[in-house]
Amino acid sequence: MEASKMKKIFIVTGEASGDKLASTVISNLNKLNSNIQYLSVGGENLKKLGIKSIYDLKEITYLGFTNVIFNIFKIKKKINETVEAIENFQPDILLTVDSPDFTLRVAERVKKNNPNIKTIHYVAPQVWVWREGRVKKIKKFIDHILLLFNFERTYFDKEGMSNEFVGHPLLDEKDDKAIDINQVIGKNKALISVFPGSRKSEIEVLTPILLQTIKLLNQSNKDITYIFHSTKEYSSSIQTHISKSELINCEVISDDKIKFHVLRKSIFAIAKSGTVSLEISNLKIPSIILYKMNFINFLIVKMLVKTKFANIINIAAKKEIIPELLQGECNPKNISSKTIYFLDNPERMEEQIKETQLILKSLKSTNSSAFKAGSSLNKFL
């Protein structure tokens, strides 16, 4: 088929998790339709599929409201640069993934200048957490929205906005080829998986707290290895923190396949609040959730947020199934004592797993979500 008949999709992500989600969808779409040309604002996962990014994802991965305010000119410049690249590429579909503060601004501008480009957004902004009025606004420039959670449909149906529940790819059945992780970890000790976040600012705040926590935990149990799960770009900075701490029972891993197997073999997980908690719960690993941001950001969030909890499982359950240690409570003393409490009470861990499985059941879709999302895109081509 000649190149001119080729369909084009431009993918805009805003951070590592969006890049990962986008890549699962695109690899499924490629099975349905190989005649598509891509360009993106993406990271290492889209790159593995041979999709070029117009600039490094790091350039837009800012975190927090105050950072956004300080970086407003940089962000505006990046939005302009992205919009221009999309217009030059002239795609059939603009697929925006998550990171609404960046991706939806891009989509709004593109739709205004080129109404013929189909705009599809994947991962709804959490209207049930923030401002429900957002749906009215998004409807003006997004043609179709792919939803991770079934309960989100109500908000979009109410406004008559085209939407589809596809489910969460982190809950899809995984290809379970066994890997002998003993060679990677090199010790037959009990493992605890640690997730310090995927953004630089989170890692800088949480890693020192986590290492102090591990020092406290080592006083009561020296037979545990703590594995920090990282993206490739931040693994060396986490390693530097570990070396400075002089702890010998900590490792960093950044390979996705190995991370999956390490998590599956873990007895417990300590994780920064985010989508990773779905992956942890899906593998039936008990956990606790942490989050800490600077004080100004925290005040802003406190004023805007309508939900009681930070974690999606707790939000869906309307109660705290997975303990959340946020802000002031996110300190080494609390984290270590909560962890010890679970390790000393296996029945509490079982109870948590049982409750998370019930909630996950209500969040899963019938088909593979990446397949459903891929098929949806294909329909629009």
Side-chain angles (χ1 to χ4, degrees):
M1 208 177 269
E2 55 189 7
S4 64
K5 296 254 176 71
M6 239 186 176
K7 296 290 187 183
K8 289 180 177 180
I9 295 180
F10 197 109
I11 306 153
V12 179
T13 70
E15 56 184 301
S17 58
D19 169 61
K20 193 173 173 182
L21 287 176
S23 70
T24 59
V25 174
I26 298 304
S27 54
N28 273 275
L29 176 57
N30 284 337
K31 290 174 198 162
L32 298 169
N33 189 341
S34 56
N35 202 33
I36 303 170
Q37 192 185 343
Y38 297 98
L39 192 59
S40 76
V41 171
E44 54 186 70
N45 291 290
L46 284 172
K47 196 172 157 190
K48 276 182 202 152
L49 297 177
I51 299 174
K52 185 177 166 288
S53 179
I54 56 169
Y55 51 77
D56 194 326
L57 199 53
K58 276 204 291 263
E59 296 179 36
I60 49 164
T61 313
Y62 297 116
L63 172 69
F65 296 88
T66 48
N67 283 358
V68 168
I69 292 161
F70 293 134
N71 292 308
I72 202 85
F73 295 109
K74 280 188 201 161
I75 291 173
K76 277 207 162 117
K77 209 173 136 213
K78 279 289 164 219
I79 290 172
N80 294 342
E81 190 183 328
T82 311
V83 168
E84 197 178 320
I86 294 166
E87 290 176 347
N88 290 337
F89 186 61
Q90 295 188 315
D92 298 275
I93 289 177
L94 168 62
L95 173 66
T96 47
V97 183
D98 212 354
S99 308
D101 290 331
F102 177 71
T103 62
L104 288 179
R105 282 178 185 165
V106 170
E108 188 173 14
R109 288 266 305 275
V110 169
K111 194 69 177 171
K112 201 171 152 188
N113 302 346
N114 304 274
N116 293 336
I117 295 174
K118 281 269 177 278
T119 50
I120 298 176
H121 187 69
Y122 184 35
V123 187
Q126 296 176 338
V127 286
W128 31 274
V129 175
W130 305 94
R131 313 175 281 277
E132 282 185 46
R134 272 181 112 167
V135 181
K136 280 187 172 66
K137 190 173 182 236
I138 295 166
K139 189 182 158 187
K140 291 177 183 153
F141 57 89
I142 293 292
D143 294 310
H144 189 60
I145 193 157
L146 302 173
L147 309 175
L148 299 186
F149 306 112
N150 211 359
F151 66 81
E152 294 175 312
R153 292 175 62 180
T154 329
Y155 299 99
F156 295 92
D157 286 347
K158 206 163 75 184
E159 292 299 334
M161 182 175 173
S162 170
N163 69 76
E164 193 174 343
F165 162 57
V166 294
H168 204 302
L170 291 180
L171 303 179
D172 286 348
E173 296 311 314
K174 288 280 194 296
D175 176 17
D176 272 2
K177 290 191 183 74
I179 292 178
D180 181 12
I181 57 167
N182 286 328
Q183 291 169 352
V184 185
I185 307 307
K187 303 176 191 70
N188 260 321
K189 287 184 167 185
L191 302 180
I192 287 184
S193 280
V194 180
F195 297 84
S198 59
R199 295 155 168 165
K200 192 171 184 234
S201 46
E202 295 168 341
I203 292 163
E204 290 309 312
V205 171
L206 288 177
T207 308
I209 295 173
L210 288 162
L211 291 169
Q212 282 302 120
T213 302
I214 293 165
K215 281 183 180 166
L216 292 175
L217 288 167
N218 282 347
Q219 291 169 11
S220 59
N221 191 338
K222 285 204 166 61
D223 288 329
I224 294 173
T225 301
Y226 296 86
I227 313 283
F228 281 73
H229 293 239
S230 168
T231 54
K232 283 191 177 66
E233 59 183 294
Y234 296 124
S235 62
S236 62
S237 79
I238 295 172
Q239 191 53 63
T240 307
H241 279 291
I242 292 173
S243 305
K244 279 185 193 155
S245 75
E246 294 177 356
L247 283 164
I248 53 166
N249 59 334
C250 294
E251 318 245 350
V252 187
I253 49 168
S254 59
D255 179 289
D256 277 343
K257 268 201 180 70
I258 295 168
K259 283 197 275 198
F260 172 70
H261 288 279
V262 164
L263 178 56
R264 204 171 54 176
K265 276 209 159 169
S266 298
I267 56 167
F268 196 71
I270 302 170
K272 179 238 129 190
S273 176
T275 49
V276 74
S277 63
L278 288 172
E279 210 168 352
I280 295 166
S281 301
N282 202 33
L283 288 174
K284 302 188 169 98
I285 310 298
S287 65
I288 53 174
I289 298 295
L290 323 170
Y291 203 70
K292 193 167 191 159
M293 52 174 81
N294 76 38
F295 190 62
I296 300 171
N297 284 354
F298 181 66
L299 288 180
I300 297 171
V301 167
K302 202 105 186 93
M303 289 187 312
L304 295 175
V305 164
K306 298 188 300 189
T307 57
K308 227 161 116 180
F309 306 109
N311 182 279
I312 182 67
I313 287 184
N314 294 340
I315 290 169
K318 297 189 172 66
K319 65 174 186 173
E320 193 177 81
I321 293 175
I322 302 172
E324 299 183 359
L325 297 172
L326 313 177
Q327 284 315 96
E329 289 187 356
C330 177
N331 62 55
K333 192 168 165 284
N334 282 351
I335 302 167
S336 58
S337 65
K338 245 331 167 212
T339 305
I340 289 166
Y341 170 75
F342 275 103
L343 297 179
D344 286 349
N345 295 283
E347 70 283 2
R348 288 279 168 264
M349 299 212 256
E350 281 303 315
E351 206 177 294
Q352 190 193 96
I353 291 166
K354 227 166 53 210
E355 292 198 70
T356 55
Q357 296 318 295
L358 282 173
I359 295 299
L360 287 177
K361 218 170 149 182
S362 72
L363 298 179
K364 285 182 184 181
S365 83
T366 43
N367 280 341
S368 137
S369 64
F371 174 77
K372 280 175 96 167
S375 313
S376 187
L377 283 173
N378 203 30
K379 274 186 285 202
F380 277 90
L381 281 172

